[in-house]
């Protein structure tokens, strides 16, 4: 892994260890604009975006955050030019292959959320390999949303629950939030406490629609490739100043 020098290796002193989010989710946006600003092709932004993600994962681990979920490719991103889509799929595959050893050393447990069936076969094979290899790791839970759409996720949960009802294994009145969550891709992972979106866009873009019901949302103008430990520190400081009421007073 290429890492920046070990700046902010430890949790910054102004953050309260007891009040860290357990689960951070990130919409990694702005790779293309980051590249364009430097007069570079968009794909360079995606490459730099991978470096930013690797350092954030390591930072979460260093600072004691239990789970990180990153939005890597949405169900809508297939609408991009073919060359960009191809580049991204190849990039994901290569990164997975290259990083598996280090994920093992760092005790990362990787999971993929999304409809994986329509991904290229070779990428699918790397995904299966990394998930299987890391399944007994007990460090940070790292979820990568790939070909992920929140609506699509909810629909596939509905389909599988409807099939259980049809087979007589379940009564409609047994369908509650707990059961529903078990049919989402994110089953077994707690909801995100903090949702970060880079590049200033104020939207959810079909990410974790069910799960972000009570997430604190933090939006920064910083483009994803520039989102470093200092930027994450600022986001966490902001988060710790929030009062989470969950509808109460
Ligand atoms: C986010 O950066 C990465 C992916 C969606 C894969 P973008 O590629 O959306 O970058 P911008 O938003 O065009 O700058
Ligand atoms: C969201 O970014 C998807 C990912 C970060 C993978 P987009 O760039 O695709 O979102 P929109 O199009 O600005 O909503
Ligand atoms: Mg974008």
């Amino acid at each position: 892994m290429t890492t920046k020098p070990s700046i902010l290796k430890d949790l910054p002193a102004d953050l309260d260890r007891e009040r860290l989010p357990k689960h951070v989710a990130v919409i990694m946006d702005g790779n293309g604009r980051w590249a364009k600003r430097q007069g570079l092709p968009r794909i360079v932004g995606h490459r730099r975006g991978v470096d930013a993600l690797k350092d954030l994962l390591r930072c979460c681990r260093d600072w004691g955050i239990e789970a990180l979920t990153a939005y890597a490719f949405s169900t809508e991103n297939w609408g991009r030019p073919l060359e960009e889509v191809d580049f991204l799929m190849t990039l994901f595959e290569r990164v997975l292959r290259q990083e598996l050893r280090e994920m093992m050393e760092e005790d990362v447990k990787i999971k993929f959320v999304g409809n994986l069936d329509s991904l290229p076969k070779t990428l699918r094979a790397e995904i299966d390999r990394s998930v299987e290899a890391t399944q007994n790791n007990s460090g940070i839970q790292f979820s990568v949303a790939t070909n992920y759409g929140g609506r699509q996720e909810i629909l596939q949960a509905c389909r599988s629950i409807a099939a259980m009802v049809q087979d007589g294994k379940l009564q409609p009145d047994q369908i509650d939030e707990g059961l529903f969550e078990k049919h989402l891709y994110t089953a077994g992972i707690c909801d995100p406490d903090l949702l970060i979106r880079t590049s200033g866009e104020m939207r959810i873009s079909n990410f974790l629609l069910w799960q972000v019901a009570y997430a604190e949302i933090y939006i920064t103008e910083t483009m994803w490739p520039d989102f470093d430990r200092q930027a994450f520190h600022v986001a966490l400081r902001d988060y710790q100043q929030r009062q989470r009421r969950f509808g109460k007073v």
Side-chain angles (χ1 to χ4, degrees):
M1 274 192 200
T2 48
T3 38
K4 297 194 174 150
S6 56
I7 35 159
L8 297 176
K9 174 85 177 99
D10 301 317
L11 185 72
D14 60 348
L15 292 178
D16 177 354
R17 193 174 292 280
E18 303 305 313
R19 292 179 53 244
L20 285 173
K22 276 193 166 45
H23 181 181
V24 174
V26 282
I27 301 178
M28 312 185 285
D29 198 15
N31 292 349
R33 279 163 287 165
W34 179 92
K36 193 172 172 208
R37 282 181 191 174
Q38 340 253 333
L40 297 166
R42 291 176 57 84
I43 58 168
V44 181
H46 293 316
R47 272 202 208 106
R48 290 293 298 268
V50 170
D51 294 336
L53 178 59
K54 287 195 290 199
D55 197 46
L56 180 65
L57 175 62
R58 184 171 278 150
C59 180
C60 284
R61 197 208 45 171
D62 291 347
W63 293 0
I65 287 166
E66 292 170 24
L68 174 69
T69 297
Y71 204 4
F73 194 87
S74 74
T75 46
E76 289 71 35
N77 288 148
W78 295 109
R80 295 186 176 204
L82 189 63
E83 315 84 79
E84 182 167 343
V85 171
D86 281 350
F87 176 84
L88 285 168
M89 295 299 150
T90 310
L91 179 69
F92 298 156
E93 191 182 319
R94 203 186 62 221
V95 169
L96 269 179
R97 197 162 37 235
Q98 285 170 352
E99 301 301 325
L100 181 56
R101 193 176 53 88
E102 212 145 337
M103 287 195 291
M104 290 305 291
E105 282 166 15
E106 300 193 353
D107 209 19
V108 174
K109 182 172 182 170
I110 197 169
K111 177 181 169 100
F112 287 80
V113 295
N115 177 5
L116 307 180
D117 295 335
S118 37
L119 295 173
K121 269 207 181 66
T122 47
L123 171 56
R124 189 56 213 264
E126 286 303 328
I127 287 177
D128 291 345
R129 200 165 78 97
S130 63
V131 170
E132 203 193 306
T134 66
Q135 64 183 341
N136 295 321
N137 289 355
S138 55
I140 187 163
Q141 167 73 60
F142 177 41
S143 307
V144 188
T146 314
N147 191 19
Y148 175 88
R151 288 184 169 183
Q152 186 268 335
E153 175 182 43
I154 289 169
L155 285 176
Q156 66 77 36
C158 289
R159 271 184 230 112
S160 76
I161 293 169
M164 289 174 73
V165 173
Q166 190 176 38
D167 293 350
K169 291 180 189 146
L170 192 70
Q171 294 300 313
D173 60 8
Q174 291 176 298
I175 303 170
D176 58 13
E177 291 188 14
L179 179 121
F180 197 81
E181 279 165 355
K182 290 198 179 76
H183 292 264
L184 296 172
Y185 296 130
T186 51
I189 301 171
C190 66
D191 288 342
D193 302 291
L194 172 63
L195 171 66
I196 298 174
R197 183 167 189 151
T198 54
S199 89
E201 306 295 355
M202 309 254 186
R203 54 179 171 260
I204 300 289
S205 300
N206 206 11
F207 189 42
L208 301 178
L209 295 182
W210 172 282
Q211 298 87 341
V212 297
Y214 263 103
E216 294 297 324
I217 298 177
Y218 176 84
I219 292 171
T220 170
E221 292 294 325
T222 304
M223 296 292 155
W224 177 253
D226 288 331
F227 191 83
D228 57 10
R229 288 182 182 225
Q230 275 97 337
F232 188 45
H233 176 199
V234 174
L236 290 175
R237 217 163 40 207
D238 193 282
Y239 171 82
Q240 293 201 332
Q241 275 151 18
R242 311 273 182 98
Q243 214 189 8
R244 301 188 76 192
R245 283 189 291 276
F246 298 99
K248 304 183 182 96
V249 287

